[in-house]
Amino acid sequence: MPLRPLALFAAFMLAATAQGAGSPHYQLRYEAGTATMQVTLCLAQAVADVHLEAGDDAARHLDGLARDSGAPLQRTDRAWNAHDWRAGECLHYHVPLGRIADDRSRHDQTRRGDDLVIDPSSWLLQVGDADAADLRVELPPGFSISVPWQRLPSSDGASHYRIPRTPDDWMARIAIGRFREQDIALAGGTLHVAIFKGADAAQRERLIAWLRRISRDALSAYGRLPLTDVQVLVVPIGPQPDVTQREAVVFGQSTRGQGNALTLFVDPTQNDDAFDRDWVAVHELSHLLHPYLGDRGAWLSEGLATYYQNVLRARAGLLTPEQAWAQLDDGFARGRRDTRPDLDLEQASLQMGERHDFQRVYWSGTAYWLQVDAELRRASANRMSVDEALRRFDACCLPSYRRWAPDEFVAKLDALAGSAVFTQRFREFRARHDFPELTALYAALGLGREGETLRVDDQAPAANVRRAVMQGPALAKRPSSERVP
Ligand SMILES: [Zn+2]
């Protein structure tokens, strides 16, 4: 998430248990008039006991549950058990999605006219220990669906997907409505963009053009998107009265439930300059470059996205290198001011939700990535870098549908980069009670102050490293395999 929390979203349980059920197959059919989803869930194999489970509120929403065999379902708390499942048997039920979206107690779900945003854990029953499921969706003419799932080829006019199994408390969003999903095809993968109701035709066109520009910027880390399918949900919310400076992107969030997704809450009335000044979208796109690291690793993940939100915008020409260094320097000053020494960085990271040490956690993490990047580049004449280590991580390990322990992630980066610096600095930074000391790094890079102004010195021993950080790899300039439809 970016450092601008307008709302805190709850995480939702999506648990299931069952053994040997094979890969489930779902068929969904949406009825727009009643905003109801008809769900059929089939398993090819016979199973003695199938356990089905969903989020806490699902029991209130599932209507007409019936098995082909006519055998009953045993309900236990949030779960259902189906005894003696026959090979090829299906379960049928329907769900009033409109009513779920209208539930005022769930701030992550919403309805505007025919457009709904809902969490699948409220209604999509998951089968036991199945690693993944296949799904086919039929929609009425003029309707679209936006999902974090992987696209499968389709020959029958319906949409086909594979749902990766992710940990039960990872949040996901699904949108259904009269929007038109637009694809932004990039090297490595596709952004599937849905702009929710609330922007006019001209505003939607500008939003898509902007997303094309900035997704190219985010690629300049190593020239490709690390995931084949990324859901991008753009929710126009208009100007925010409590934000003093009007922002184009009011809030952003990256989620990983059932696949990777970004949600951007935007003010579509802002002009192109305001969107070009935005950093939230590049920050959220940068989160695609690392696996989920949990609350303990939030300083690493938020630090990486915060480092790249400045570095990648400089490489794209949205900031000059001097402006990017000044942004980093300002952020470090805010992080230093926000650091309370009673906790070490890892503890502050774990308790960020309660203590709101956002500045300290985000900017200490940013300092970590700058420190490591500079050391790798100095030791290798710019041949090794954070960009290159992450490119190798993508090749071996992304997408990843599990949580990585922070020390496991940095050890993997060291193994891939042939270095020790990720782990060394990780151990040092996570135990710090103060803000990371950057004096020596600043001197090496040629960063210094004249009064309030940050100045750069090209005679500094690692001035070439400072320049290389903001230039990036040569491939960043022209992602040659990009296809813009
Ligand atoms: Zn973030």
Side-chain angles (χ1 to χ4, degrees):
M1 291 207 291
L3 192 46
R4 195 185 293 153
L6 266 196
L8 286 175
F9 293 103
F12 302 99
M13 299 303 292
L14 183 66
T17 51
Q19 289 75 42
S23 181
H25 179 77
Y26 294 85
Q27 295 197 54
L28 306 184
R29 191 161 49 80
Y30 186 60
E31 293 174 357
T34 55
T36 299
M37 189 69 93
Q38 304 287 340
V39 182
T40 301
L41 165 57
C42 307
L43 295 172
Q45 298 162 20
V47 188
D49 280 293
V50 178
H51 296 276
L52 302 157
E53 210 166 300
D56 283 335
D57 53 348
R60 293 192 283 127
H61 302 312
L62 310 189
D63 293 330
L65 279 160
R67 292 173 59 183
D68 281 343
S69 65
L73 286 167
Q74 288 86 37
R75 167 98 183 274
T76 55
D77 193 15
R78 292 189 300 129
W80 289 260
N81 187 63
H83 198 53
D84 284 335
W85 193 279
R86 298 175 186 171
E89 188 177 346
C90 301
L91 168 73
H92 309 269
Y93 61 94
H94 51 271
V95 195
L97 294 188
R99 204 174 73 203
I100 297 178
D102 287 337
D103 182 350
R104 290 282 156 261
S105 69
R106 293 281 301 264
H107 298 295
D108 60 321
Q109 308 193 135
T110 181
R111 183 211 302 239
R112 282 183 207 168
D114 285 329
D115 290 2
L116 315 175
V117 176
I118 35 177
D119 184 326
S121 76
S122 293
W123 57 278
L124 196 63
L125 286 174
Q126 299 259 312
V127 177
D129 56 1
D131 286 341
D134 288 345
L135 187 143
R136 176 179 186 277
V137 189
E138 277 178 60
L139 298 165
F143 275 75
S144 291
I145 187 166
S146 166
V147 295
W149 308 327
Q150 295 165 9
R151 269 60 179 173
L152 296 176
S154 171
S155 56
D156 61 0
S159 300
H160 291 252
Y161 302 96
R162 170 148 285 231
I163 311 180
R165 190 62 181 265
T166 50
D168 296 337
D169 56 351
W170 290 12
M171 183 179 168
R173 288 194 180 92
I174 288 176
I176 296 178
R178 291 186 181 276
F179 51 81
R180 189 166 63 88
E181 196 177 49
Q182 285 176 270
D183 286 351
I184 298 178
L186 301 161
T190 303
L191 303 180
H192 305 281
V193 182
I195 302 176
F196 205 60
K197 202 179 181 70
D200 65 28
Q203 290 169 341
R204 283 199 303 274
E205 206 169 295
R206 281 202 358 246
L207 285 166
I208 288 287
W210 163 70
L211 282 167
R212 282 192 205 290
R213 289 200 303 278
I214 55 126
S215 53
R216 283 198 297 270
D217 301 345
L219 282 186
S220 67
Y222 50 75
R224 64 191 300 271
L225 194 68
L227 308 155
T228 55
D229 296 291
V230 177
Q231 176 193 22
V232 180
L233 193 54
V234 180
V235 184
I237 54 173
Q240 295 302 292
D242 55 339
V243 175
T244 44
Q245 191 190 349
R246 296 190 69 193
E247 306 281 0
V249 181
V250 180
F251 182 72
Q253 188 178 40
S254 66
T255 52
R256 295 171 185 268
Q258 303 186 358
N260 283 78
L262 318 175
T263 306
L264 301 171
F265 298 85
V266 304
D267 174 2
T269 65
Q270 297 282 327
N271 61 22
D272 284 349
D273 287 348
F275 276 97
D276 282 343
R277 277 197 307 274
D278 165 69
W279 52 264
V280 176
V282 175
H283 176 104
E284 299 304 337
L285 284 161
S286 299
H287 277 309
L288 301 173
L289 306 178
H290 66 80
Y292 182 59
L293 300 171
D295 290 345
R296 188 178 294 277
W299 66 273
L300 274 181
S301 55
E302 296 302 348
L304 180 64
T306 306
Y307 182 54
Y308 269 153
Q309 91 199 17
N310 292 295
V311 166
L312 301 186
R313 284 190 304 147
R315 291 181 192 171
L318 294 168
L319 298 174
T320 64
E322 289 72 20
Q323 286 170 330
W325 288 115
Q327 294 276 349
L328 289 167
D329 186 51
D330 286 349
F332 295 145
R334 289 197 299 277
R336 205 170 282 120
R337 273 200 302 275
D338 191 46
T339 298
R340 292 179 279 174
D342 56 328
L343 297 184
D344 67 25
L345 179 57
E346 184 171 274
Q347 290 298 324
S349 211
L350 277 166
Q351 295 181 38
M352 185 167 65
E354 299 86 60
R355 284 169 45 110
H356 297 170
D357 293 338
F358 298 108
Q359 301 284 353
R360 180 208 179 167
V361 170
Y362 280 57
W363 288 101
S364 292
T366 307
Y368 168 85
W369 291 101
L370 173 60
Q371 177 75 46
V372 170
D373 204 8
E375 286 186 58
L376 288 171
R377 288 173 180 276
R378 278 192 92 176
S380 68
N382 281 311
R383 279 191 298 275
M384 183 48 68
S385 60
V386 167
D387 300 330
E388 176 60 18
L390 289 173
R391 187 189 68 75
R392 295 179 186 186
F393 184 80
D394 166 35
C396 74
C397 305
L398 289 181
S400 178
Y401 299 120
R402 67 171 177 89
R403 176 152 70 127
W404 285 62
D407 54 345
E408 179 193 12
F409 178 52
V410 294
K412 186 72 187 177
L413 292 176
D414 272 330
L416 293 166
S419 62
V421 63
F422 284 100
T423 300
Q424 245 167 33
R425 294 295 182 187
F426 168 78
R427 289 189 179 138
E428 177 194 322
F429 274 57
R430 77 167 165 187
R432 287 197 83 112
H433 286 254
D434 59 352
F435 194 81
E437 178 52 56
L438 296 172
T439 311
L441 180 63
Y442 266 45
L445 293 175
L447 295 168
R449 324 200 116 271
E450 253 169 33
E452 288 296 289
T453 312
L454 188 76
R455 56 166 183 78
V456 296
D457 173 10
D458 280 333
Q459 307 308 313
N464 67 326
V465 165
R466 190 196 69 231
R467 284 190 295 268
V469 165
M470 297 300 176
Q471 278 164 3
L475 56 81
K477 301 297 176 199
R478 220 170 287 110
S480 57
S481 56
E482 182 182 348
R483 308 174 309 278
V484 179

